Amino acid sequence: MYPISLIAFGRLRLEPCRGLERHYLDMLRPYARMEVTELTEGKGDPARQLKEEAERLRPKLKAVTCPVLLTPEGKLRDSGALAKWLGERMDRGESLAFILGSSHGFDPTLKAEVKEQLSLSPLTFPHELSRVMLLEQLYRAFTILRGKDYHK
């Protein structure tokens, strides 16, 4: 089973989103060993908040060979391209961590440090939906890699 971390600033507050997260984590279980870590959002001035969040995040990324920030400026991939990208990382044995920022996004210095950035869409989605959408897309990518019928 392939290890993947999901690190998110903030927690899921809406029960429907928590239920969907559980659903996709269960569906991912045959393909990946998912670890979900929730970090509290910083408070106060947005620039100071982002700097403080980046400082708390950096130690968690030291053991990860391929951290991926979810950002609006990140690379857009369709489901097939995401599956191909994921398969290449798996073939290389890279450890993956997908990071969802707080409501203000990420500190600019962190964005400059982390090479891999992914955008789920040019549209803006609530944090909670983005988290569920990422898990669904990871599940879809694994089914594409395994030749399952889920992806249409």
Side-chain angles (χ1 to χ4, degrees):
M1 296 229 278
Y2 191 66
I4 299 176
S5 296
L6 168 59
I7 302 171
F9 283 93
R11 60 185 185 86
L12 292 178
R13 290 184 173 93
L14 298 173
E15 179 51 41
C17 290
R18 287 196 305 265
L20 283 169
E21 180 182 61
R22 284 189 303 272
H23 171 73
Y24 285 111
L25 288 171
D26 286 345
M27 292 181 73
L28 278 161
R29 196 164 281 127
Y31 306 106
R33 190 174 63 251
M34 294 292 305
E35 177 185 335
V36 178
T37 302
E38 292 180 336
L39 303 175
T40 56
E41 286 193 47
K43 302 269 189 236
D45 173 67
R48 190 180 67 223
Q49 171 189 342
L50 294 178
K51 183 178 169 98
E52 184 266 327
E53 289 171 354
E55 292 306 314
R56 285 191 290 128
L57 178 62
R58 282 184 179 99
K60 298 186 177 317
L61 300 182
K62 287 188 189 286
V64 177
T65 55
C66 186
V68 181
L69 299 181
L70 274 78
T71 66
E73 312 80 31
K75 182 158 180 79
L76 282 169
R77 291 183 172 94
D78 63 21
S79 298
L82 180 63
K84 182 177 187 253
W85 178 89
L86 178 62
E88 290 167 354
R89 291 327 151 288
M90 291 171 61
D91 290 346
R92 287 186 259 192
E94 294 180 0
S95 56
L96 281 171
F98 291 91
I99 304 99
L100 287 159
S102 66
S103 58
H104 296 291
F106 293 104
D107 183 72
T109 61
L110 183 68
K111 287 168 98 171
E113 293 168 19
V114 177
K115 181 181 80 164
E116 288 288 343
Q117 296 183 26
L118 174 68
S119 174
L120 292 175
S121 169
L123 300 171
T124 302
F125 295 102
H127 180 84
E128 294 189 335
L129 289 180
S130 296
R131 191 160 150 177
V132 170
M133 288 169 46
L134 172 65
L135 292 172
E136 190 280 337
Q137 283 300 301
L138 288 173
Y139 174 70
R140 185 176 297 272
F142 276 108
T143 62
I144 290 169
L145 291 171
R146 299 294 197 285
K148 301 286 183 182
D149 289 337
Y150 179 78
H151 178 68
K152 295 182 182 27

